[in-house]
Amino acid sequence: MTPTITAFADSPGRGRGLARDIRVRWALEEVGQPYGERLLSFDELKAPAHRAIQPFGQIPTWEEDGLVLFESGAIVLHIAGRHPGLLPGEAHARSRAICWMFAALDTVEPPIFERSLATVLERDEPWFAARLSVLDARVRQRLGELLRRLGNADWLDGDFSAGDLLMASVLARLEGSGLLGGYPNLAAYLLRGKARPAYQRAYAAQFAVFLRSRSAKDPAAN
Amino acid sequence: MTPTITAFADSPGRGRGLARDIRVRWALEEVGQPYGERLLSFDELKAPAHRAIQPFGQIPTWEEDGLVLFESGAIVLHIAGRHPGLLPGEAHARSRAICWMFAALDTVEPPIFERSLATVLERDEPWFAARLSVLDARVRQRLGELLRRLGNADWLDGDFSAGDLLMASVLARLEGSGLLGGYPNLAAYLLRGKARPAYQRAYAAQFAVFLRSRSAKDPAAN
């Protein structure tokens, strides 16, 4: 049975590939699993029908054969556990790759996400400059630590894994911030991830939704 | 081979059971797996020897039979995957329990952690009151959503699972904030988690470290 994911009908990300369904699309493309998509408006996201599937009113979700999941990390792990290609077969290496999935989401993403949130919600507050410099320092600390571990390697631990997929998708949030410029090996790591054909297909699929949404709002834009 | 975890020699949590090794200790106690502990000072946490194991200079870590892991979520999942008791055997229920692990760490914990961080780092800033009210609103949103899903159930999805273990450990960060008071079913859920004998043993083990550390600094305190 083909799984169905949910995504924003009208992405707030302006086509930059940051909405979290990109992670699930990317994982599905890496393993060659076709999928369907169900697009939700902001009103639909917060409506009871979607809350029954996703208690926090977010995307993406996963529906397949009676199984309903949410949380992009959980969905990527679910896909990686059922198809070869995203986790090593050897038990220790597999546990280490899963460790990088959690590191991406729980240690590297939070300060990056807080920084993004502040640039949207606190930009006009009198304290914005002071807060931003604290947030930048938190992000730089994690980038420095990640860089030291990555060194000159292509991926975090051996071959590309679901850990790299999530870490690259987290680092992508920093594009345009100028922060990655101080960490050329991390910028190259991100580009390496985004150059993968599976990422390209995932991005194209998400971008197609954005184009349709823009075209629906303003046919003259096309 | 007995696994070894790392923990703070001198916990900043003042014995309240919040340092993240509690999650790993709790999981180990739930499945009846003995373990050893290696305690690290703040200087040791940031030293190269520990960075080789934990690139971000944090606790807890996991060492067993040549395998090194970090990230409390990854370690709890590793334990849960190798022992009965923390994840259902049925495949769909197992995936849903893992989904709650990610929801605890990626959706519920970040605003709670940001709030804790702000109360420590921004308490004296002129903007603290304004920021705190924004942070409280973010936390309340997640608590309301979690409460709606939990309803009157004992646990989030059937029997107690690693998802409940992590969710309870995240909610414990709110004790003393007054925020849980508005969500009696969540407060009861947290108490139900903390009443488990495995949690009690885990807490006692972490608290014993705190008492030894306090006694070493001020023998008269005992």
Side-chain angles (χ1 to χ4, degrees), chain B residues 22 26 29-30 191-207:
Chain B
I22 195 78
W26 187 0
E29 294 289 352
E30 289 283 351
L191 287 178
R192 208 150 37 234
K194 294 178 73 167
R196 293 177 70 84
Y199 175 84
Q200 295 289 322
R201 291 191 295 270
Y203 178 77
Q206 194 190 68
F207 195 69

Side-chain angles (χ1 to χ4, degrees), chain B residues 2-151:
Chain B
T2 304
T4 299
I5 70 167
T6 50
F8 291 125
D10 193 3
S11 170
R14 302 190 301 283
R16 291 176 302 149
L18 298 183
R20 286 182 173 86
D21 55 294
I22 195 78
R23 300 168 180 181
V24 175
R25 294 179 193 268
W26 187 0
L28 287 163
E29 294 289 352
E30 289 283 351
V31 304
Q33 168 66 52
Y35 63 98
E37 67 185 15
R38 197 154 51 78
L39 303 178
L40 300 171
S41 69
F42 289 112
D43 286 347
E44 286 167 328
L45 273 177
K46 305 305 175 190
H50 186 60
R51 294 269 194 192
I53 290 175
Q54 216 299 1
F56 304 102
Q58 300 170 323
I59 59 94
T61 57
W62 173 271
E63 293 160 87
E64 180 190 24
D65 198 16
L67 173 65
V68 171
L69 295 178
F70 54 99
E71 293 290 333
S72 57
I75 298 170
V76 169
L77 183 58
H78 179 81
I79 296 165
R82 276 150 192 81
H83 300 269
L86 285 170
L87 289 174
E90 192 274 318
H92 283 194
R94 195 176 183 91
S95 289
R96 288 198 307 271
I98 293 171
C99 167
W100 280 111
M101 295 178 65
F102 281 92
L105 300 179
D106 299 340
T107 295
V108 179
E109 183 165 34
I112 292 176
F113 184 76
E114 286 302 317
R115 185 188 182 282
S116 300
L117 204 61
T119 61
V120 174
L121 300 183
E122 299 178 40
R123 183 167 286 286
D124 298 327
E125 302 288 356
W127 64 73
F128 179 67
R131 275 265 300 151
L132 189 64
S133 101
V134 171
L135 290 164
D136 281 354
R138 280 172 68 192
V139 171
R140 284 201 185 93
Q141 181 187 333
R142 294 306 179 215
L143 294 181
E145 291 163 336
L146 187 62
L147 180 70
R148 277 204 292 277
R149 173 53 66 101
L150 180 65

Side-chain angles (χ1 to χ4, degrees), chain A residues 75-84 86-87 94:
Chain A
I75 299 171
V76 169
L77 183 59
H78 180 81
I79 295 166
R82 276 150 191 80
H83 300 268
L86 284 171
L87 289 174
R94 194 176 184 91

Side-chain angles (χ1 to χ4, degrees), chain A residues 111-189:
Chain A
I112 292 176
F113 184 76
E114 286 303 316
R115 185 189 183 281
S116 300
L117 205 61
T119 62
V120 174
L121 300 183
E122 300 179 37
R123 183 169 286 285
D124 297 326
E125 301 289 355
W127 63 73
F128 179 67
R131 276 264 301 152
L132 188 64
S133 102
V134 171
L135 290 164
D136 281 354
R138 279 173 67 191
V139 171
R140 284 202 184 92
Q141 180 187 334
R142 294 306 180 215
L143 294 181
E145 291 164 336
L146 187 63
L147 181 70
R148 278 204 292 278
R149 173 53 66 102
L150 180 66
N152 292 306
D154 277 358
W155 307 112
L156 287 165
D157 192 337
D159 291 337
F160 176 84
S161 79
D164 295 298
L165 186 157
L166 291 180
M167 191 67 81
S169 76
V170 162
L171 294 178
R173 291 189 178 278
L174 291 173
E175 290 178 310
S177 72
L179 286 169
L180 279 174
Y183 308 85
N185 276 18
L186 291 186
Y189 169 80

